Amino acid sequence: MALPLPEAVAALAAAAVALAAAAAVLICMIAHITAIKMPTLHRHEEEKFFITAEGRKEPVPSIHDPPTRELSVVVPSYNEEDRLPLMMDEALDYLEKRQRQDPSFTYEVIVVDDGSKDQTKKVALKYCKKYGSDKVRVLSLVKNRGKGGAVRMVTHTFISFHLLLYLNEFCPNMQGVFSSRGKKILMADADGATKFPDIEKVEEGLKNLQPWPNQMAISCGSRAHLEKDSIAKRSYFRTLLMYGFHFLVWFLCVKGIRDTQCGFKLLTRKAAARTFSTLHIERWAFDVELLYIAQHLRIPVAEVAVNWTEIEGSKLVPFWSWLQMGRDLLFIRLRYMTGAWQLETRKYN
């Protein structure tokens, strides 16, 4: 016997709610079961050394060593033989000029070859030879680790002052952070999308956060003020993807930061050590997890407008990359919420 229409509608609504609840429980279970815990990160024997211009191997420093530089520029790079020279020329021109103006300012540039298949390593070694191994260092990874993974491993070896440069979006970032000698770290796009003089803007943003609790603070560059102009140049589909991603970031992970993906973030040494050693995500959504961790640890975060120009050669594929990021955002929230991931410090060997 057929149910009256109101009762049928109510039954369908109840079934839909039950189905949605079951789906949510299932997704939570999948996120929890498939989560990779906090394994000890292994550094291959070849990754424990820098390569000098003469071909010698020098052991990388440790994050536990006292800093000996004001600034470490970490340049994660994967198949970047074409874009690397332009970025390196601009970076080193700026850094050399700054050092001439202030002799007490010391820096190093660390190029992390993230398992490249082209001549990235050879190109980097030319700068090592030109400027000396104390200013330009090359660290080769045995295999590609991705954006977050490479940054993490470099942090293990030496956290630095102002510049953590992404040579590409697949990020040996962590490799650079853990291998630096400086006081603070700045992540910046290695393609030159954000110019070096804007370093001073994020420096000011970090300074304005003082006093830093436990010497931890983060200053993020932001392109949010350019959003209206960028929308006018994008297709409706890409604009929809952008708004959808921003909503998911706000709803699931990070509140109060309009642009989490700008590759221009300045961190104090202790903030970098604490956040990078906890990271799980190694690719596109790595920045979101970084800020999610920072907010949960109550590390103060500033957002500062910077100039930005879109550069050709991005490895981000609009639909599939954003789909992967959406999945990662959901898993970040669910895995921390269910306890599969916790804000603990990762061990290295």
Side-chain angles (χ1 to χ4, degrees), residues 16-56:
V17 170
L19 184 62
V25 171
L26 180 61
I27 292 172
C28 287
M29 290 176 62
I30 293 173
H32 188 89
I33 294 171
T34 60
I36 298 174
K37 306 296 181 182
M38 294 290 285
T40 297
L41 292 182
H42 176 68
R43 185 189 291 274
H44 292 279
E45 190 64 28
E46 300 94 311
E47 297 171 354
K48 297 179 180 179
F49 301 92
F50 288 116
I51 303 170
T52 69
E54 296 76 26
R56 298 193 310 271

Side-chain angles (χ1 to χ4, degrees), residues 84-103:
L84 182 57
L86 183 62
M87 189 283 305
M88 289 289 284
D89 288 340
E90 182 183 3
L92 288 162
D93 285 347
Y94 173 86
L95 295 169
E96 285 288 291
K97 180 180 179 180
R98 183 164 175 171
Q99 189 173 66
R100 286 194 298 270
Q101 294 174 343
D102 179 9

